[in-house]
Amino acid sequence: MKLQHFGECFSQQRLNYLNRLLVLRARSQAGFVLPFALFASAVLLLGSASLHTLSLQKRLRIHATHQREQVADQLRSAAQAFVVASRGPDACLLRWPSFEWSGGAQACSGSDPSRLSAGVVGEMPWSLLDWKPGDESGQLRLQLADGRTGNFRLAFDLLDPAVLGISEVQLQARAPQLEAE
């Protein structure tokens, strides 16, 4: 019986020793799990915020590109409307810069500079800012009603004033809107 009692005491002491070791180990590592979990959560949160920001930036870039393409298309349509208006009796006005059209109109029978000065494409009004003829091409500057402007180079035949081609639009910064007179 003494041996049995001794074995129980030994087992009891051994368990007490193991419990103390675990308690000591748990106390020394008690602050490890919570900070690690907080750090991991913060890294995941920052990572997801970064991905969200990147997707928003991409969406904004796509929207801005779409807007630029839409403006360029509207300005190209306005330039084509200018070319159509410059056919017929108004074609001879293309020999002079736009600021001289009032005097050149007398040399061109049946021409009306106002037909080349403004128009409407779709529902968007446009106006001529400047026309400067050269030897084989001219510089055309147009403005939409909302203030957006663009430059075009128009290839034309100066002997028989007619537009032969239109370059791609060069977009410019938005200009202040012109007030209606």
Side-chain angles (χ1 to χ4, degrees), residues 63-76:
H63 181 69
T65 300
H66 179 69
Q67 287 286 79
R68 271 192 302 276
E69 289 172 358
Q70 204 170 25
V71 169
D73 186 51
Q74 288 174 331
L75 285 164
R76 271 191 297 274

Side-chain angles (χ1 to χ4, degrees), residues 68 71-73 75-76 149-152 166-171:
R68 271 192 302 276
V71 169
D73 186 51
L75 285 164
R76 271 191 297 274
T149 62
N151 284 337
F152 297 90
I166 303 172
S167 72
E168 283 298 311
V169 63
Q170 296 174 352
L171 297 176

